[in-house]
Amino acid sequence: MESELKEMNSNPPSSKEERPLLKSESDVSAAIEELDKKFAPYARTDSYGTMGLGPFPATEKVKLAVAMVTLVPVRFILAMSILVLYYLVCRVFTLFSAPYRGAEEGEEEEEDVQEDYAHMGGWRRSVIVGCGRFLSRVLLFVFGFYWIPESRPDPETTSSEEGDKEEPERPGVIVSNHVSYLDILYHMSASFPSFVAKRSVGKLPLVGLISKCLGCVYVQREAKSPDFKGVSGTVNERVREAHRNKSAPTIMLFPEGTTTNGDYLLTFKTGAFLAGTPVLPVILKYPYERFSVAWDTISGARHVLFLLCQFVNHLEVIRLPVYYPSQEEKDNPKLYASNVRKLMASEGNLILSDLGLGDKRIYHATLNGNLSQLRVFHQKED
């Protein structure tokens, strides 16, 4: 998200119509309020304000100050200890094991190769998965998610046309709404699936090896790279493989393609539905009183700090029954994606929105410009 902000800030709108000159602080505040209404799926509605910049009441400042010298150091040390511990588990149990290497036929360049340890079988794989699920849940506990209630609606009210088979098929993919990076921790604790991640993630210290143990599919998100088709093919193959083979790693996709504030559900991309296999829909909701853990319009460092300062955080999960597509849905991935989206919105009490990543970038860029003007007004007052 921060990269999106930097990209848009480096190319700000140039015309006066796109960036009107606002002459007073009230004008800027009104403009921000109007933006929040227009781009409602991305607007923060918690007490920490737009982009988490306040203003903060005196009582909230006291709470934050106390938490910063008590909760934050303890939680940070525990979180880093858990990360290092799991890295060591992955390092030890992948020793002397060659990673599974997948690439499109004819591709030999190193950057085109997908490496993972998710296809490794036997007891070592069981240890990696078991420790990963347990430590992910411990990490959520450290972050204040002490209990995570899960509900499962009645299958009879949510089943699809083909949901009454005597031998139900295994879902090829888990699909979920996307609110925060914390979504990944929950899904790791629940089912330890593979994710789609930036190619650079695989090269990060500690996290890189863990992502390979998850079996992440790496992509170059900054631009449409020559291997775009290859990545799409890899994802589809992984979905089909998970559907056919019970021992194959499950893949997890966020079909919205970006995060929201948790109250909305954006248009689904069709990637998870192209294979025509059954899907497992999961809905994540983060109730809050003070700070929303939704990762929108707020910097990563500020988000982590406020998250650690909040003693209790809440997460509720709705796990829908496996959705079995009809033949019409198999033939039409857009229809399949749309029907699953409508079901998730209905069961999760979410608002449907047609906005997308492009709209989010416009919102962030315009919001940053208006906030810059607001800071200028405050500096003049000082």
Side-chain angles (χ1 to χ4, degrees):
M1 180 181 300
E2 290 179 88
S3 62
E4 292 172 9
L5 291 174
K6 290 176 182 176
E7 177 186 342
M8 294 306 299
N9 285 337
S10 62
N11 297 287
S14 56
S15 69
K16 290 184 178 179
E17 292 182 357
E18 291 174 307
R19 286 280 298 275
L21 182 60
L22 302 176
K23 298 182 178 180
S24 69
E25 183 175 344
S26 60
D27 289 341
V28 176
S29 299
I32 292 175
E33 185 177 346
E34 190 64 29
L35 275 174
D36 287 345
K37 290 179 181 178
K38 183 176 180 180
F39 299 97
Y42 313 119
R44 297 190 65 83
T45 55
D46 61 8
S47 59
Y48 283 59
T50 303
M51 298 184 76
L53 297 175
F56 302 103
T59 54
E60 191 64 30
K61 290 180 180 179
V62 171
K63 290 178 182 178
L64 288 173
V66 172
M68 283 181 189
V69 298
T70 55
L71 270 181
V72 173
V74 174
R75 284 179 164 176
F76 179 78
I77 292 172
L78 287 174
M80 291 305 299
S81 299
I82 292 170
L83 178 62
V84 171
L85 174 60
Y86 188 54
Y87 168 79
L88 293 175
V89 170
C90 292
R91 176 58 66 194
V92 169
F93 287 93
T94 55
L95 280 176
F96 311 114
S97 296
Y100 172 84
R101 297 169 67 88
E104 290 295 305
E105 186 177 350
E107 291 179 345
E108 298 179 355
E109 294 184 14
E110 186 66 25
E111 64 177 14
D112 294 324
V113 176
Q114 299 280 344
E115 288 188 348
D116 71 69
Y117 291 99
H119 290 80
M120 180 178 65
W123 63 273
R124 288 184 299 175
R125 176 63 184 167
S126 298
V127 172
I128 289 174
V129 172
C131 289
R133 293 184 63 178
F134 174 73
L135 291 176
S136 296
R137 183 61 188 92
V138 172
L139 192 54
L140 284 171
F141 187 90
V142 168
F143 287 159
F145 296 93
Y146 304 121
W147 54 90
I148 301 178
E150 294 189 3
S151 61
R152 300 172 185 267
D154 185 355
E156 293 184 2
T157 62
T158 58
S159 61
S160 60
E161 188 175 318
E162 298 183 16
D164 300 324
K165 295 185 176 182
E166 293 182 3
E167 296 183 5
E169 301 177 59
R170 184 174 189 251
V173 60
I174 301 171
V175 294
S176 172
N177 62 316
H178 200 9
V179 182
S180 171
Y181 53 82
L182 296 164
D183 304 347
I184 295 173
L185 275 181
Y186 167 74
H187 287 295
M188 284 179 64
S189 70
S191 53
F192 204 76
S194 303
F195 298 89
V196 174
K198 287 183 179 181
R199 192 179 298 281
S200 57
V201 170
K203 301 176 183 178
L204 292 174
L206 304 180
V207 176
L209 178 60
I210 295 174
S211 71
K212 290 180 180 179
C213 289
L214 278 164
C216 289
V217 178
Y218 301 115
V219 299
Q220 191 70 32
R221 288 182 176 172
E222 287 77 9
K224 289 283 181 102
S225 56
D227 65 335
F228 180 75
K229 267 191 174 179
V231 169
S232 177
T234 301
V235 170
N236 279 323
E237 180 53 38
R238 289 285 296 275
V239 170
R240 293 189 180 96
E241 180 188 17
H243 174 56
R244 295 190 307 261
N245 184 0
K246 290 184 179 181
S247 63
T250 304
I251 191 163
M252 158 83 228
L253 295 174
F254 298 108
E256 293 171 286
T258 189
T259 56
T260 68
N261 60 15
D263 296 327
Y264 291 78
L265 202 60
L266 308 179
T267 302
F268 280 6
K269 299 181 184 299
T270 57
F273 309 93
L274 290 173
T277 64
V279 300
L280 176 62
V282 178
I283 304 164
L284 305 182
K285 299 177 75 70
Y286 295 88
Y288 63 89
E289 293 181 3
R290 295 163 52 210
F291 174 67
S292 168
V293 303
W295 195 22
D296 253 314
T297 75
I298 185 171
S299 70
R302 184 176 290 270
H303 188 281
V304 171
L305 179 62
F306 289 157
L307 172 71
L308 297 181
C309 284
Q310 193 157 252
F311 182 70
V312 179
N313 290 294
H314 300 280
L315 168 59
E316 298 173 357
V317 181
I318 304 174
R319 302 183 70 86
L320 301 181
V322 175
Y323 189 103
Y324 297 92
S326 65
Q327 188 58 51
E328 183 182 7
E329 289 170 324
K330 290 179 181 179
D331 296 336
N332 187 346
K334 286 187 177 181
L335 175 65
Y336 187 7
S338 176
N339 289 344
V340 172
R341 176 176 175 249
K342 289 176 182 177
L343 174 65
M344 291 177 66
S346 173
E347 294 296 325
N349 195 27
L350 301 173
I351 304 169
L352 295 175
S353 172
D354 294 329
L355 298 183
L357 182 57
D359 300 294
K360 175 190 247 187
R361 287 174 170 167
I362 294 172
Y363 173 57
H364 284 176
T366 312
L367 190 60
N368 275 326
N370 286 330
L371 285 173
S372 296
Q373 293 186 47
L374 196 57
R375 291 191 190 100
V376 170
F377 288 130
H378 287 164
Q379 288 172 1
K380 287 182 178 179
E381 290 175 359
D382 294 339

